[in-house]
Amino acid sequence: MKNKIITFREAIRLTLNQILQNDKKAILIGEDIGIYGGAFGVTRGLINKFPDRIIETPISENSFVGVALGAAIGGYKPIVELMFSDFVTLAMDQIVNHAAKISYMYGEQLKAPLIIRLPSGGGRGYGPSHSQSLESWFCHIPGLSVLYPSNPNDARGLLMSATKEKSPVIFFENKLSYDVKGEINENEIINIGKAKTIKEGKDITIISYGRMLSIAEKVSLELGKSDISVEIIDLRTLKPLDEKSIINSVKKTGRVALLVESSPFSSIASEVISLTSNKCFYNLKLPPMKFAALDIPIPSSTRLEKNIYPTTEEIVKKIYDNLST
Amino acid sequence: MKNLKGKLDFLETMLKIRGFEQKIEELFSKGLLGGTCHLCIGQEASAVGIISQLKKGDKVISSHRGHGHAIAIGCDLSRLFGELLGKEIGYCKGRGGTQHICASEKGFYGTNGITGGGIPIATGLALAAKRDKKKQVIVSMFGDGAINQGTFHESLNMAAIWNLPIIYVCENNLYAMSMHIDKAVKIKELHKRSESYGIHGEVVDGTDVEAIAKIAKKAIERARKNKGPTLLETKSYRYKGHSKSDNRVYRTRREENEWLKKDCISKFETILKQQGQKDKIIKIKSSLEKEINKSFETANQSKFAEDYYSGVR
């Protein structure tokens, strides 16, 4: 079969369609996911094909996540959409105190195969309560897997793998990725916990995920003009982290830069820098570098917002300067 | 699931709950139990009256004050003691403790450490039950403290719009830790909150096990016939503090004594004795005492749980 080129949004929709088709116990739960198709149009059209499998809820985030958890322990496979990932703050009790622990604390009597989809990130002028990147919160909670695909094929493959999990999966979808196009291979299996080296190089490893990878690629092109060879790793899964791929790459290049969209403190960047500082200490030729958003709430004004994220120019200059001294 | 039929069964189960919890209290006072726990002594009729009316396949989600619910549904006492003592034979391998006891094979889907935390999960179980079309009913048990949590309002609303087979039981013991219900809620009749969601609501004397069983039976039948959810309020009193470290400074001994006069067990025992059951009651009490002590010994002598990692991804 010839591989198709589709958008990230279409890749998620196609996979949800496939999951609903293959597994009669799969149900979708969320706000406005029926005829409206979800705030970002991801579920558009699914209601026509699966009218009784799309459960539209009132605006009650904590409890509809709890309802999904109850349905999961009752034998169903709910896939929840929270309209904006920011709204997951309202559901943290059900995710953190219940879903993440329900199997462990009840002595493995119950299973919670629950997927929570979170449209995330900034860059669209939505302001401080609709633009956050909260992925590191979930990585801090034992019992959750955290996925963050950057392209349509990974979105498809990881969502498919997520349905095979017996414990909750937090699935991030960057809002700016929805219109990104890419080739998908419907037969490819993408396992949870595996990073991908999307470009090999020998001088520095840039580690990133989600939409920031597009900046990493531009940085790599620019630095290439100065004969600096960049290796790029797409983490894809944030928890469990693919430590082996990270360590192998950084041992090889001897330099590492983290590029994330979230705020810098206690971020995935912090964790990976901690890991590489410990495990690659004697291979490192430079201190690890962290590129993240400014440590402030995300302003609404697009003029203000665009300057809070690290830019290609800034990253190129910093890496170039560090490598030249 | 244990289907309690006769009146003596009601009494026996209430006595079993009280005996178990008195033993727990004793273990705490001797320093033999760690952590905390929340006793339901005084509220046994609610657990027994409601849960006795369920059938196999029905499920219960409980609150932090859940020993009574676990025993009413038929949990094994040595495995309950084991869970509290951190033993391998404990229902949850010592990981859950008093606030996270689960016995899925009995239909007991857990005591729950977060006030109101179990309400949406029970609602989700009811959604699953409805979709399965197996005519199963879910019971969600919680205290009066939970009814001001968002989960209560959100969940009752969803159960109403989806017409789910669920009974929400508010065990109103008048106090949310130290706060009297009159300071927490403007209305006097908590069950009336059902009207806001368009579901059926009723109140019952929480010290009258037969009255509770009767009202529960009706609510469960309605749910089983797809006639929608119910909010039941059982009014009673917890004789002990909120948890083991509570000296009850927020209420008077006089108030406590008034409630002791209406004790659900003594009242029911008197009725049964008048009906000529005295000898049987003596027998029940003596065999329960043996069972409780034996269960404790079995748990106490068993191995401590040592498994940290099984089931971890």
Side-chain angles (χ1 to χ4, degrees), chain B residues 199-223:
Chain B
I199 65 170
H200 187 68
E202 258 179 283
V203 62
V204 62
D205 175 359
T207 68
D208 183 344
V209 68
E210 288 185 293
I212 299 167
K214 205 171 147 193
I215 207 168
K217 187 171 188 235
K218 275 199 308 191
I220 291 164
E221 265 171 25
R222 283 166 39 81

Side-chain angles (χ1 to χ4, degrees), chain A residues 69-122:
Chain A
L69 173 59
I73 62 175
Y76 283 79
K77 192 166 284 181
I79 304 175
V80 177
E81 174 177 304
L82 279 155
M83 190 179 283
F84 283 75
S85 74
D86 311 71
F87 306 165
V88 79
T89 53
L90 292 155
M92 288 307 270
D93 168 53
Q94 287 300 315
I95 297 175
V96 174
N97 291 324
H98 298 93
K101 300 170 174 48
I102 207 157
S103 171
Y104 187 88
M105 74 182 177
Y106 288 148
E108 299 157 67
Q109 293 176 67
L110 306 179
K111 300 269 175 276
L114 172 67
I115 300 172
I116 301 174
R117 298 178 38 241
L118 301 177
S120 183

Side-chain angles (χ1 to χ4, degrees), chain B residues 54-67:
Chain B
L54 294 173
K55 288 186 182 165
K56 194 173 164 52
D58 294 343
K59 296 180 180 72
V60 172
I61 285 196
S62 167
S63 64
H64 60 294
R65 201 174 302 286
H67 302 151

Side-chain angles (χ1 to χ4, degrees), chain A residues 25 52 55 58 60 62-64 66-67 70-71 76 93-94 97-98 104-106 108-110 145 165 192 240, chain B residues 91-93 95-96 100 102-104 111-112 114 117 120-121 124-125 131-132 151 154-155 158 162 308 310-311 313:
Chain A
K25 290 284 191 178
D52 59 337
I55 299 169
S60 304
N62 195 30
S63 293
F64 75 66
V67 162
Y76 283 79
D93 168 53
Q94 287 300 315
N97 291 324
H98 298 93
Y104 187 88
M105 74 182 177
Y106 288 148
E108 299 157 67
Q109 293 176 67
L110 306 179
S145 301
E165 290 290 299
I192 290 173
Chain B
Y91 272 108
C92 305
K93 303 195 276 189
R95 293 170 174 184
H100 318 95
C102 173
S104 58
T111 57
N112 191 299
I114 306 293
I121 306 173
L125 278 173
R131 296 184 72 86
D132 284 341
T151 50
E154 294 179 344
S155 298
M158 280 189 272
W162 298 332
Y308 287 96
S310 83
R313 194 187 195 280

Side-chain angles (χ1 to χ4, degrees), chain A residues 12 26 32 34 54 58 71 75 78 88 112 122 135 144 169-170 176 181 183 211 218 252 266-267 295 319 325:
Chain A
I12 301 277
D32 305 295
I54 315 284
V88 79
E135 55 272 17
L144 301 176
V169 174
I170 311 294
L176 286 181
K181 284 187 176 173
E183 195 176 16
R211 77 167 168 111
K218 287 177 200 153
K252 181 180 78 174
S266 272
S267 61
D295 204 2
I319 293 178
T325 50

Side-chain angles (χ1 to χ4, degrees), chain B residues 70-86:
Chain B
I71 292 169
I73 213 167
C75 284
D76 177 76
L77 294 190
S78 57
R79 294 193 68 191
L80 289 175
F81 277 122
E83 188 55 35
L84 269 59
L85 289 161

